[in-house]
Amino acid sequence: GENVEQHPSTLSVQEGDSAVIKCTYSDSASNYFPWYKQELGKRPQLIIDIRSNVGEKKDQRIAVTLNKTAKHFSLHITETQPEDSAVYFCAANSGGGADGLTFGKGTHLIIQP
Amino acid sequence: DVKVTQSSRYLVKRTGEKVFLECVQDMDHENMFWYRQDPGLGLRLIYFSYDVKMKEKGDIPEGYSVSREKKERFSLILESASTNQTSMYLCASSPGTVGNTIYFGEGSWLTVV
């Protein structure tokens, strides 16, 4: 099955700086890569996703890049703000069928004022 | 807005008890999932279902079973609860097409004593 590795587990940045979270996956058939944000005590919510037919996608201050050859994808957050503090999860599907998503272990992003 | 509702937010059960966690979605989604979330381990897939009365094992099905008698409802069953099943349980649903957004419920915090 799919295996997703996520780094770092904790990331502390100054407000206004950029944050980058990286993930690798193992199943070359995976074709859907979402990112979820989970605030304390709340459900994970989708913030951005990318499919294997594109290399980059941007939505305001967040962007995701995908390198299919290397099997890795990254989340980039620019001009970080206090409300960006949360746990972020990357995920990948299992390359076909309704197999659900395999998630990374999460990154706790801390925005320092 | 997609709504995934988990009937119990907080439960305390005794070792050996049979536990039912209920989940209902209101978007006519084909796929439903049960994940378990533990600190440092991320979200791990327990079981999923892509149709009524259909079920598939995820990555950690041991000690759990599921039931999907109606399209909108997916139940997670702990036949004989154990302390190592103390965790946060997240139900989710998604449309039938591969690579679609998964929507999560608020989660059920289960403590087994």
Side-chain angles (χ1 to χ4, degrees):
Chain A
E2 176 68 279
N3 183 47
V4 177
E5 300 280 343
Q6 181 173 349
H7 299 280
S9 56
T10 304
L11 178 60
S12 181
V13 302
Q14 290 292 127
E15 183 178 347
D17 287 352
S18 295
V20 180
I21 302 170
K22 298 183 179 183
C23 289
T24 60
Y25 62 98
S26 61
D27 186 352
S28 56
S30 293
N31 57 12
Y32 176 62
F33 308 92
W35 286 87
Y36 283 79
K37 175 183 180 182
Q38 186 177 31
E39 296 175 357
L40 191 63
K42 296 191 176 179
R43 73 185 82 193
Q45 291 198 294
L46 179 77
I47 55 170
I48 195 167
D49 57 15
I50 192 167
R51 298 177 195 277
S52 59
N53 56 347
V54 297
E56 184 173 358
K57 185 176 177 180
K58 197 171 181 179
D59 182 5
Q60 300 183 334
R61 294 187 299 108
I62 60 173
V64 58
T65 58
L66 171 65
N67 182 327
K68 281 209 73 182
T69 304
K71 288 193 276 189
H72 67 70
F73 56 114
S74 301
L75 178 71
H76 305 252
I77 306 174
T78 58
E79 300 171 20
T80 53
Q81 299 169 6
E83 55 265 35
D84 295 329
S85 293
V87 178
Y88 292 81
F89 293 97
C90 63
N93 68 337
S94 297
D99 295 348
L101 297 171
T102 299
F103 286 84
K105 289 183 167 54
T107 296
H108 185 193
L109 177 61
I110 301 164
I111 308 301
Q112 303 277 8
Chain B
D1 250 5
V2 174
K3 195 155 187 189
V4 180
T5 304
Q6 294 181 232
S7 56
S8 303
R9 290 297 313 276
Y10 303 96
L11 306 95
V12 179
K13 297 292 181 180
R14 294 194 181 279
T15 301
E17 272 194 81
K18 191 169 185 175
V19 181
F20 293 86
L21 299 180
E22 307 285 348
C23 175
V24 176
Q25 51 96 2
D26 66 355
M27 282 302 290
D28 201 37
H29 285 169
E30 280 75 17
N31 304 328
M32 295 190 75
F33 311 88
W34 275 104
Y35 284 88
R36 171 177 170 160
Q37 183 173 15
D38 299 287
L41 297 178
L43 291 84
R44 294 178 291 166
L45 182 63
I46 305 171
Y47 266 97
F48 64 97
S49 167
Y50 52 87
D51 201 354
V52 176
K53 295 195 187 294
M54 303 300 289
K55 61 183 179 183
E56 296 285 343
K57 292 180 180 179
D59 299 318
I60 52 164
E62 296 78 19
Y64 303 95
S65 62
V66 290
S67 172
R68 193 165 181 203
E69 296 297 318
K70 293 185 177 181
K71 189 175 185 180
E72 67 271 19
R73 188 178 297 270
F74 193 36
S75 302
L76 180 69
I77 304 156
L78 287 68
E79 294 288 343
S80 178
S82 63
T83 54
N84 62 11
Q85 292 178 309
T86 291
S87 187
M88 157 83 112
Y89 292 88
L90 285 160
C91 176
S93 72
S94 74
T97 311
V98 171
N100 261 299
T101 302
I102 286 183
Y103 298 89
F104 285 92
E106 292 284 4
S108 298
W109 286 95
L110 172 66
T111 302
V112 183
V113 298

